[in-house]
Amino acid sequence: MAKQNTKAPPVLTVDGVEYKHEDLNDEQKIIYAHISDLQRKANTTRFNLDQLKVGQEAFGNMLVESLKKGKDEETEENDKK
């Protein structure tokens, strides 16, 4: 037996007043769709920015370690002389 879709239609609240999506006019539905899309894009951008920050920090740490290693190797060579 197939399940019935019992998901409630979207309801938005503006200034404490609830509006059913189905009761909005075409212009209001388009504006709501733009707002929803912009929220999704903002969330995706935050997610991508988090990844970029972590990647930048990781590469910075790798550079510091590489520079330390190079300095340690240079010091060892100077000690052998």
Side-chain angles (χ1 to χ4, degrees), residues 57-72:
E57 185 177 333
F59 279 112
N61 291 338
M62 289 169 60
L63 178 59
V64 168
E65 288 302 314
S66 178
L67 291 170
K68 284 181 185 178
K69 182 179 176 182
K71 192 171 187 175
D72 291 344

Side-chain angles (χ1 to χ4, degrees), residues 20-36:
K20 292 180 182 177
H21 187 265
E22 63 207 34
D23 293 337
L24 301 177
N25 66 32
D26 289 343
E27 178 187 23
Q28 293 163 341
K29 287 178 182 176
I30 290 170
I31 293 169
Y32 177 76
H34 281 292
I35 292 169
S36 296

Side-chain angles (χ1 to χ4, degrees), residues 9-79:
V11 175
L12 62 137
T13 304
V14 178
D15 295 330
V17 179
E18 290 187 351
Y19 300 90
K20 292 180 182 177
H21 187 265
E22 63 207 34
D23 293 337
L24 301 177
N25 66 32
D26 289 343
E27 178 187 23
Q28 293 163 341
K29 287 178 182 176
I30 290 170
I31 293 169
Y32 177 76
H34 281 292
I35 292 169
S36 296
D37 186 51
L38 289 166
Q39 287 174 333
R40 181 190 57 75
K41 287 178 180 177
N43 289 337
T44 298
T45 299
R46 276 189 216 92
F47 182 81
N48 290 335
L49 182 57
D50 288 343
Q51 287 182 333
L52 291 168
K53 286 179 179 178
V54 170
Q56 184 178 18
E57 185 177 333
F59 279 112
N61 291 338
M62 289 169 60
L63 178 59
V64 168
E65 288 302 314
S66 178
L67 291 170
K68 284 181 185 178
K69 182 179 176 182
K71 192 171 187 175
D72 291 344
E73 290 173 357
E74 184 180 304
T75 302
E76 286 177 22
E77 293 221 1
N78 287 339
D79 290 345

